[in-house]
Amino acid sequence: MKKLYAGIVALSVLGLTACGGNEPEKKTTSSDPGAEIYANNSCVGCHGRDLEGASGPNLQKVGSKLSEKEIHDIIINGKGSMPGKVVDGEDADKVAKYLAKQK
């Protein structure tokens, strides 16, 4: 009887371990192209999936502090430890527009 319970426990552990353990991280989908670019780029690594900040600053209310142009300039030129051109061209425009809405 003990072997039966041990077998059930072992199979349960294996089953739970196998569920989702090797799934790639899901990319965020949004109707805002800037949010899409932000979520699928290296921005998330420093500023967090929900703009909460990590090694980079919190961006949840960045639009109340900086204009779209100022945000765009930081994206293109970098600031502090943030390198420039993490995204560029139209992608930088879209991300700046998205972040400027965060108030």
Side-chain angles (χ1 to χ4, degrees):
M1 191 58 105
K2 287 183 182 179
K3 288 183 179 181
L4 176 66
Y5 288 125
I8 292 171
V9 170
L11 288 174
S12 297
V13 169
L14 286 173
L16 291 173
T17 305
C19 293
N22 293 327
E23 258 183 56
E25 188 174 329
K26 292 182 180 176
K27 302 292 184 178
T28 302
T29 56
S30 170
S31 60
D32 188 319
E36 242 344 275
I37 295 163
Y38 174 91
N40 295 324
N41 217 291
S42 59
C43 310
V44 171
C46 295
H47 297 288
R49 180 144 316 277
D50 297 318
L51 308 173
E52 74 275 11
S55 62
N58 181 311
L59 299 176
Q60 292 173 333
K61 295 183 180 182
V62 70
S64 63
K65 299 171 189 164
L66 299 173
S67 70
E68 184 178 332
K69 183 185 179 332
E70 291 170 318
I71 295 168
H72 186 272
D73 288 346
I74 292 170
I75 292 170
I76 296 301
N77 300 313
K79 183 175 180 181
S81 61
M82 180 179 160
K85 295 188 181 177
V86 175
V87 294
D88 59 1
E90 287 184 25
D91 286 352
D93 298 342
K94 291 173 185 175
V95 172
K97 186 173 189 168
Y98 163 68
L99 291 174
K101 295 177 191 173
Q102 308 307 309
K103 297 183 182 194

